Amino acid sequence: MNFDALTPEQIDRLSGKLRAAGLRSTRPRLALAHLLFGAGNRHVTAETLHEEARNAGLSVSQATIYNTLNQFLSAGLLSEVIVDHARSYFDTNVTDHHHFFIEDETRLIDIPLDEVALSSLPNAPSGYDLAGVDVVIRLLKAPA
């Protein structure tokens, strides 16, 4: 898939999504937006998106991938799920929700917000307000 393979309807839809988020519709952004948003909600790392882009025939650098993901994140088109100090995922589902992280598959699965109940939270330190709670439940494959 290269940019020229996008239909005019796809370009219009993706351009509208980018414009609504305050971003210009450049060719690399449109092509990466198509990879990210063309198949429903998903979780990607910068590395997996770069590989998908290369496999689709896009000539984009790793730096372009990171820049685009961070621009989409800042614009509210993506959310970030940090699973450990060395790994974060970008989530196309920007509604409030939690995640299962399947450790031996390095895969995230959405958990609807109402399926996790927290009975209490500590008070925020003086001078801070609670911004949100992100729950990542880690799973391992059960022995057969």
Side-chain angles (χ1 to χ4, degrees):
M1 190 278 326
N2 62 35
F3 179 83
D4 297 326
L6 294 176
T7 67
E9 294 79 21
Q10 289 171 317
I11 292 171
D12 285 345
R13 182 179 53 79
L14 294 168
S15 291
K17 186 176 188 80
L18 294 177
R19 254 191 326 276
L23 296 172
R24 288 185 312 116
S25 298
T26 64
R27 290 171 72 94
R29 279 188 191 145
L30 287 168
L32 293 172
H34 177 68
L35 288 175
L36 284 166
F37 306 114
N41 289 330
R42 57 193 301 239
H43 308 97
V44 299
T45 63
E47 293 76 19
T48 59
L49 183 60
H50 187 241
E51 184 176 330
E52 284 180 30
R54 282 195 343 232
N55 291 340
L58 296 175
S59 179
V60 292
S61 68
Q62 188 73 34
T64 298
I65 297 290
Y66 276 105
N67 290 338
T68 302
L69 287 171
N70 285 314
Q71 290 163 352
F72 286 7
L73 181 65
S74 294
L77 296 173
L78 297 172
S79 61
E80 186 175 20
V81 181
I82 299 171
V83 296
D84 61 39
H85 69 281
R87 192 175 0 190
S88 66
Y89 289 79
F90 295 88
D91 191 347
T92 61
N93 178 357
V94 294
T95 64
D96 288 335
H97 65 284
H98 304 291
H99 293 93
F100 286 118
F101 178 65
I102 304 173
E103 291 190 348
D104 47 352
E105 297 175 19
T106 61
R107 183 168 61 102
L108 288 171
I109 299 172
D110 289 347
I111 303 171
L113 188 64
D114 63 355
E115 289 187 19
V116 174
L118 300 172
S119 61
S120 69
L121 294 173
N123 292 326
S126 178
Y128 294 91
D129 291 324
L130 182 65
V133 175
D134 301 313
V135 175
V136 176
I137 300 171
R138 298 171 185 283
L139 303 175
L140 289 172
K141 186 79 103 179

